[in-house]
Amino acid sequence: MSSSFWSSSHCLHWLITRPALLISRHLDLQYCTPKQLYCLHIFFTQLIQKLGKRLLLRQIPIATACTFFKRFYLKNSICETNPYLVLAACVFVAAKVEETPVHIKSVVSEAKVVFNEYNIKLFPAETNKLGEMEFYLLEDLDFHLVIFHPYRALLHITGREPADSGKFPLSRTEEDQRFKKKELETRKKKDEEIRKSNLNTVGNKPSPGVGLVNGNKDVNEDDENQLEAKRIRRLMGRGSTEGIGEVDEGVLQISWFILNDTYRTDVHLLYPPYIIAISAIYVAFCLTSMNSSSASRTRTSSSSSQLNSVQSSTTINEQLGLDPPPNSASNFLAGFQVNLNILFACVQDIIRLYSIWESFEPTSMRNTNNPQNQQQNHLKSVLGGASMTGTEDGIDGKKEKFGFEEAEVLVRKMIESRLVDMGHPNNAGANQTAKRSLPTGASDGIDQSSVIGKKRVRK
Amino acid sequence: MVATGATAAAMLDPMHYYRAKRDRERRTVLKTYKILGFISSGTYGRVYKAVLLPSPASKGNTNKSTLPSSARAALSIPKDKLPSPTTSISSSNATISDPLNNPELCMRPGDLPAKEGDVFAIKKFKPDKEGDVLTYAGISQSGAREIMLNRELHHRNLVALREVILEDKAIYMVFEYAEHDFLQIIHHHSQTTRTPIPSPTLRRLLHQLLCGVHFLHSNFCLHRDLKPANILVNSSGVVKIGDLGLARLWHKPLAQGGLFGGDKVVVTIWYRAPELILGAKHYTAAVDIWAIGCIYAELLALRPIFKGDEAKMDGKKQLPFQRDQMGKICEVLGPVKADQWPGIVHMPEYKTYLSSGPYPNPNPLPSWYQHRSTSSQGYDLLTRLFEWDPARRLTAREALAHPWFQEEGGVAAKSVFEGSSVTYPTRRVTHEDNGDAKMGSLPPSMAHPRLPSSSNFRPASATLTGQPPPRKKARM
């Protein structure tokens, strides 16, 4: 369903386990290292973003295109397809799905411009090729096109947008007041009826009447407890975040940027969107507390634009007789009661991106013209630098350059090698088994370099 | 094994093997379904009646070790993607594990199960053509919407999509089959029996329609093309809303200019809400409710209540003001009074509306209604659906709670036909190509060559009603 994540195709068919993800990539990993493959996905995401920007698409269609792309490569391998054609088709379909359609011809012409920039010659600039690819893409997506992005979850969680938008005509407080009024009236009526019936019965049969009254009282108390529990459940069940808590504007901004970055990773195949959103908030909280020596939350002047300030949260909760909103980041996050193992696995996946991304595309290389980029770059350098010290050397061993240029070369090499292997299946089989026996981490094996590392060997 | 020639060709195109693999796996329409005949056609393409053929696997050993589709769904990856040395090409074992011979293997996660002999309506989208050659020009926006929404939304009162098949550059959507539709029921009463629709049937038809629309609206989905021809009823008397080609989700980011930006014209003219006629750029679910009001009136009167002539776009890019339609509405409801719809002064076409007047003054709706029904609750519901101000119009949820639905035994019966002595004719199916029922026409490559504009293809709605079909709104 398009309003409930839990019954959506996204939830039912497209969240997979990490082993399944690894299995789906086994073929590509015969032609490149895991880190190179990771970088390739950063590379392709970058291209999708560039193409989307040129087509004047907003972030949501771009995010949808990225998700389509990742889903497509769950069933296929980069080395057996033309990723640039796939990527353009993803953008084309995503634009339609998100109701901002672009003409097939402009996709082709803009893609040509973007790909030229990176010296990519593999893209066939023909509309019918792209149209054909669209068909294959839809098939491989199993025609599941509605995607739940963490952006909405982020806005709900931070109280910027009520999750129940449009569904309920009254605010929670109003609804609660009406509900209480009604309850009071019905109780009055009931009491009167009981009194009346008691009056009638008392005259005739005194002893059982007394018993009845006592029984009624007990029932009433039980009822009341149940009603109260029901009331709280009803108030919380609206999915509205009124009065739940408050997140600072700066934290929200950073969380949003982090979400943009997550489309370079696999988290959208592994975790539901609300986990990704909470992970982004978590990372954002950590970053802001790292920067400012104050408490876990920083307050900026821009917080006036929020829908709910702390104060209104407090008063709403007071009116409703609920617990006060959480007053610290950890309480706030704990309030969601998500599985911490899953949450931190997701956080790890997000943090891991930055060090690899930094080495693939150093911050210094990126243009720093607009402020959004600047903030994102800042993010990357902070996070990239932070985690660089620990993990980087293990994966990389030698400091070799692997950037956009190398990525483009690698894609071509992978496709060519795969074609050669397909042409000589027996040979390929032998090669494959040899390659598979290599530990995946040791990327500089002899076998590997014969396929993709020719450049390096020549040096 | 691959010849060197093929390798050379593949060198030029990295997608060579991918395409070969996918084409081999494709579940084809004719291997899966037997076409019984042709139902109708429209601007989108054609609809055929079809029956599911037995799957080859079910004939022989049924419990073969092939991965069931559910397992495939759980893995989210096709079988051949699992590590095995002989991935792709030249799998010579032409047994039931070969997808070509066993269409059931090609079922996708989310496809609906069915058994041999089940009947379906297959909607074939018109493929794009460049001269005489079929080409890919991209799936139309309405096709994409219909696939997207029907794949995602499942409800008793929504026509169910079994699967989508792409073949020969065309899209085939396989829907559950529905024997009747509102238009056909209305026509049967107006032309054949010449009696009004029994009120219990009418009440249940409307109630189930509202149930379906309420489901759509609570999933943030506007239908935007509700009309009798699009609302189906199956043989067990369950209402099924069809044709989500104009529907859209409205919690999604809006294009430039809001809902208006994507589709300039929505809803077939006779069912179009006044705010749309007055050029509203930001409209709400209330446009669907207006259409339901029109459908309710049409079920009562057996003819459209506001049967205006559509003003055509005359070469200019500007959309014309639908004066005739507005006039028809005012003839029944009376002109808009200021207190009925305070916001009307902000409508883009308000000045045009004023200047294209004067509109007739009397409000014959009460007498119009009294000719057809005596229930005062029924009249109350109708006026609330025909509320000028979209903000005051009932919502689907409110309409469902209307006391009228509790009259005369209510709407608890599962079948809308329960207790009714009327039997409705079955859907007319024609056999093209001189009664060659084997196929009719699809797919084109397999049928006998014939002219595309064969006179066999009269629009179904025209053959049903004997009156010109409601004009299709322009799809942009």
Side-chain angles (χ1 to χ4, degrees):
Chain A
M1 311 292 155
S2 56
S3 74
S4 163
F5 173 74
W6 303 106
S7 52
S8 68
S9 60
H10 187 152
C11 175
L12 297 176
H13 303 299
W14 288 102
L15 291 181
I16 60 161
T17 59
R18 201 177 295 273
L21 181 67
L22 282 175
I23 287 172
S24 76
R25 291 183 177 164
H26 80 282
L27 193 63
D28 279 331
L29 289 177
Q30 288 168 16
Y31 299 92
C32 65
T33 65
K35 197 193 158 197
Q36 282 170 330
L37 190 60
Y38 197 104
C39 291
L40 284 186
H41 275 287
I42 296 177
F43 177 53
F44 295 136
T45 310
Q46 206 79 345
L47 292 174
I48 290 175
Q49 293 228 333
K50 285 242 157 137
L51 179 55
K53 287 258 162 66
R54 284 199 72 97
L55 290 165
L56 303 176
L57 295 178
R58 297 171 63 173
Q59 178 59 24
I60 300 287
I62 291 173
T64 302
C66 292
T67 314
F68 285 165
F69 187 82
K70 294 267 183 190
R71 286 184 179 183
F72 179 85
Y73 282 110
L74 278 180
K75 296 186 174 187
N76 299 288
S77 306
I78 293 169
C79 62
E80 283 189 340
T81 54
N82 181 343
Y84 306 113
L85 183 60
V86 174
L87 174 164
C90 287
V91 172
F92 182 45
V93 175
K96 277 189 264 203
V97 165
E98 304 297 347
E99 295 287 351
T100 46
V102 283
H103 198 277
I104 189 164
K105 278 183 184 151
S106 42
V107 177
V108 170
S109 61
E110 294 302 328
K112 231 162 64 180
V113 174
V114 172
F115 293 150
N116 264 339
E117 229 174 89
Y118 292 93
N119 200 24
I120 294 162
K121 304 224 163 55
L122 228 43
F123 178 70
E126 297 162 48
T127 50
N128 64 335
K129 280 264 160 62
L130 185 61
E132 183 195 43
M133 188 60 231
E134 183 187 25
F135 267 41
Y136 289 117
L137 174 66
L138 287 177
E139 282 186 322
D140 271 334
L141 295 176
D142 290 331
F143 303 103
H144 291 141
L145 304 178
V146 175
I147 288 179
F148 284 73
H149 290 295
Y151 296 106
R152 257 175 97 205
L154 176 69
L155 293 179
H156 296 161
I157 289 167
T158 53
R160 289 332 192 258
E161 189 184 87
D164 56 6
S165 56
K167 273 195 171 181
F168 299 91
L170 299 173
S171 81
R172 290 201 309 171
T173 339
E174 282 173 321
E175 188 183 282
D176 192 52
Q177 275 166 356
R178 276 200 195 185
F179 196 77
K180 274 185 177 163
K181 226 184 186 177
K182 254 192 192 169
E183 231 169 51
L184 212 74
E185 279 168 17
T186 46
R187 202 179 301 164
K188 263 186 192 168
K189 265 189 197 168
K190 251 190 198 167
D191 283 351
E192 267 175 37
E193 273 172 29
I194 290 168
R195 228 174 282 150
K196 271 183 193 168
S197 64
N198 278 352
L199 278 177
N200 292 341
T201 48
V202 163
N204 302 336
K205 294 171 191 169
S207 47
V210 173
L212 252 176
V213 171
N214 287 343
N216 268 341
K217 251 187 191 162
D218 289 346
V219 171
N220 273 354
E221 260 166 42
D222 269 2
D223 266 2
E224 239 159 77
N225 284 339
Q226 266 183 7
L227 277 176
E228 181 60 18
K230 225 189 203 173
R231 188 183 75 100
I232 291 177
R233 233 178 303 146
R234 184 172 49 80
L235 289 170
M236 305 312 283
R238 277 182 48 160
S240 154
T241 42
E242 283 174 85
I244 284 181
E246 178 249 12
V247 175
D248 182 79
E249 191 68 23
V251 175
L252 177 67
Q253 278 288 316
I254 294 170
S255 311
W256 190 278
F257 292 143
I258 291 170
L259 286 187
N260 289 348
D261 293 341
T262 57
Y263 287 92
R264 291 172 172 80
T265 70
D266 301 320
V267 293
H268 300 276
L269 302 171
L270 299 169
Y271 311 103
Y274 71 94
I275 290 281
I276 300 169
I278 297 175
S279 304
I281 297 175
Y282 176 84
V283 176
F285 270 140
C286 293
L287 278 176
T288 43
S289 66
M290 238 160 69
N291 288 347
S292 66
S293 54
S294 67
S296 54
R297 215 175 321 155
T298 50
R299 210 158 289 273
T300 56
S301 53
S302 58
S303 62
S304 57
S305 65
Q306 289 167 213
L307 281 181
N308 304 315
S309 67
V310 173
Q311 216 154 32
S312 79
S313 283
T314 319
T315 50
I316 286 175
N317 277 14
E318 241 168 52
Q319 280 167 3
L320 294 172
L322 301 174
D323 293 338
N327 55 4
S328 73
S330 52
N331 281 350
F332 173 75
L333 288 169
F336 294 107
Q337 304 200 347
V338 295
N339 182 323
L340 285 185
N341 290 334
I342 297 176
L343 180 67
F344 285 118
C346 183
V347 168
Q348 276 302 323
D349 277 345
I350 293 174
I351 295 177
R352 196 165 81 101
L353 163 72
Y354 291 97
S355 62
I356 302 179
W357 187 8
E358 181 62 35
S359 69
F360 178 62
E361 187 196 11
T363 317
S364 53
M365 302 248 302
R366 310 184 68 205
N367 70 353
T368 45
N369 291 338
N370 70 55
Q372 187 181 323
N373 261 352
Q374 253 171 21
Q375 194 153 357
Q376 253 170 313
N377 285 342
H378 172 69
L379 207 79
K380 207 172 87 183
S381 57
V382 170
L383 279 169
S387 45
M388 187 102 72
T389 46
T391 53
E392 186 69 352
D393 296 21
I395 303 170
D396 215 20
K398 295 176 232 163
K399 282 273 175 219
E400 64 175 88
K401 188 174 170 290
F402 186 79
F404 276 40
E405 235 172 87
E406 289 77 9
E408 192 273 326
V409 173
L410 175 61
V411 172
R412 251 188 303 142
K413 282 253 162 68
M414 284 170 72
I415 293 169
E416 279 166 19
S417 315
R418 179 62 189 157
L419 281 173
V420 170
D421 284 355
M422 300 259 277
H424 308 279
N426 296 334
N427 199 4
N431 251 347
Q432 274 167 27
T433 42
K435 268 176 239 158
R436 212 179 299 156
S437 63
L438 273 177
T440 41
S443 55
D444 289 329
I446 314 142
D447 213 324
Q448 204 69 33
S449 59
S450 71
V451 182
I452 42 137
K454 275 175 190 154
K455 217 174 177 181
R456 218 183 315 141
V457 170
R458 264 183 226 128
K459 276 183 214 163
Chain B
M1 291 301 111
V2 189
T4 30
T7 319
M11 274 303 194
L12 300 171
D13 181 5
M15 299 295 279
H16 183 82
Y17 290 117
Y18 170 79
R19 286 208 309 265
K21 197 159 100 187
R22 283 286 168 269
D23 289 346
R24 203 149 28 79
E25 283 174 356
R26 213 165 247 179
R27 178 185 166 93
T28 63
V29 175
L30 281 185
K31 281 224 155 96
T32 322
Y33 300 95
K34 180 179 176 345
I35 308 299
L36 299 177
F38 164 83
I39 296 174
S40 67
S41 71
T43 45
Y44 53 85
R46 296 189 177 129
V47 182
Y48 300 90
K49 184 176 179 179
V51 63
L52 183 66
L53 290 169
S55 82
S58 65
K59 281 178 188 162
N61 24 12
T62 31
N63 292 340
K64 202 67 181 158
S65 62
T66 47
L67 261 182
S69 57
S70 56
R72 220 183 89 179
L75 283 169
S76 253
I77 41 172
K79 190 165 58 71
D80 58 29
K81 189 74 204 214
L82 294 168
S84 78
T86 53
T87 36
S88 74
I89 348 174
S90 72
S91 51
S92 53
N93 48 333
T95 54
I96 51 163
S97 67
D98 182 356
L100 239 190
N101 288 318
N102 185 1
E104 285 307 311
L105 273 187
C106 305
M107 293 293 286
R108 303 164 186 287
D111 283 355
L112 300 179
K115 52 185 189 304
E116 180 190 343
D118 283 357
V119 181
F120 295 93
I122 300 184
K123 182 172 184 175
K124 179 187 177 183
F125 284 75
K126 206 184 280 172
D128 290 299
K129 275 189 181 172
E130 213 167 77
D132 277 342
V133 190
L134 295 178
T135 54
Y136 293 102
I139 289 169
S140 67
Q141 183 68 17
S142 67
R145 278 180 186 144
E146 205 166 355
I147 292 175
M148 167 174 84
L149 293 172
N150 273 309
R151 274 304 264 187
E152 204 71 24
L153 300 169
H154 310 284
H155 187 263
R156 191 175 106 99
N157 297 118
L158 216 57
V159 70
L161 174 69
R162 175 167 195 248
E163 62 173 333
V164 186
I165 297 176
L166 303 179
E167 191 181 328
D168 286 334
K169 304 187 171 67
I171 308 165
Y172 298 85
M173 293 182 76
V174 182
F175 287 105
E176 65 178 313
Y177 180 74
E179 198 62 77
H180 316 281
D181 57 58
F182 275 29
L183 192 62
Q184 178 225 43
I185 289 171
I186 290 167
H187 180 255
H188 181 69
H189 281 279
S190 72
Q191 305 297 314
T192 315
T193 68
R194 297 188 177 269
T195 53
I197 297 172
S199 64
T201 303
L202 196 159
R203 184 173 289 114
R204 288 179 214 138
L205 285 173
L206 198 66
H207 188 259
Q208 293 197 13
L209 168 61
L210 276 166
C211 284
V213 171
H214 175 231
F215 171 79
L216 286 176
H217 287 178
S218 54
N219 277 290
F220 301 98
C221 182
L222 296 182
H223 188 286
R224 305 199 298 184
D225 197 15
L226 289 173
K227 59 180 176 186
N230 280 345
I231 301 157
L232 313 171
V233 183
N234 70 10
S235 50
S236 30
V238 179
V239 173
K240 305 275 180 185
I241 299 173
D243 197 353
L244 295 181
L246 260 187
R248 65 160 289 172
L249 302 172
W250 85 78
H251 65 71
K252 300 257 169 184
L254 299 175
Q256 291 280 308
L259 288 168
F260 182 74
D263 314 83
K264 299 282 182 279
V265 183
V266 294
V267 191
T268 306
I269 184 78
W270 296 343
Y271 307 93
R272 201 174 293 164
E275 65 267 29
L276 291 173
I277 297 174
L278 291 176
K281 294 204 167 34
H282 297 278
Y283 48 88
T284 60
V287 302
D288 282 345
I289 300 299
W290 179 274
I292 291 176
C294 297
I295 292 166
Y296 175 25
E298 194 165 334
L299 290 171
L300 276 173
L302 304 177
R303 57 183 299 280
I305 182 169
F306 308 130
K307 204 172 160 184
D309 287 328
E310 183 158 28
K312 285 271 171 281
M313 270 207 279
D314 31 302
K316 285 171 277 174
K317 287 257 160 119
Q318 203 124 42
L319 295 165
F321 177 64
Q322 299 293 346
R323 194 202 171 279
D324 193 59
Q325 183 63 27
M326 197 66 193
K328 288 285 189 308
I329 297 173
C330 292
E331 273 173 31
V332 179
L333 300 183
V336 191
K337 296 187 194 76
D339 63 314
Q340 283 173 319
W341 188 4
I344 191 174
V345 293
H346 305 302
M347 290 288 145
E349 298 281 4
Y350 178 60
K351 288 216 171 81
T352 331
Y353 162 73
L354 287 183
S355 61
S356 64
Y359 292 97
N361 212 6
N363 171 12
L365 190 64
S367 58
W368 182 95
Y369 183 81
Q370 272 156 24
H371 285 301
R372 293 163 173 98
S373 172
T374 51
S375 164
S376 60
Q377 290 291 3
Y379 178 71
D380 182 68
L381 176 61
L382 188 63
T383 53
R384 283 158 180 271
L385 297 175
F386 280 151
E387 196 69 64
W388 282 107
D389 188 345
R392 293 188 200 167
R393 217 169 288 154
L394 283 187
T395 64
R397 176 198 286 257
E398 288 161 356
L400 283 171
H402 196 277
W404 181 65
F405 289 113
Q406 301 315 318
E407 286 184 6
E408 289 186 294
V411 285
K414 284 252 178 341
S415 166
V416 294
F417 303 130
E418 200 173 295
S420 163
S421 55
V422 189
T423 44
Y424 297 93
T426 55
R427 189 176 291 284
R428 183 188 295 199
V429 171
T430 59
H431 305 291
E432 302 172 23
D433 300 352
N434 296 325
D436 182 355
K438 194 201 158 199
M439 188 41 250
S441 70
L442 114 178
S445 59
M446 306 216 175
H448 302 292
R450 56 166 176 69
L451 291 171
S453 56
S454 155
S455 57
N456 283 340
F457 305 118
R458 261 174 306 159
S461 43
T463 58
L464 273 173
T465 52
Q467 70 191 19
R471 262 160 261 262
K472 272 274 165 189
K473 64 272 138 211
R475 288 174 198 261
M476 308 182 125

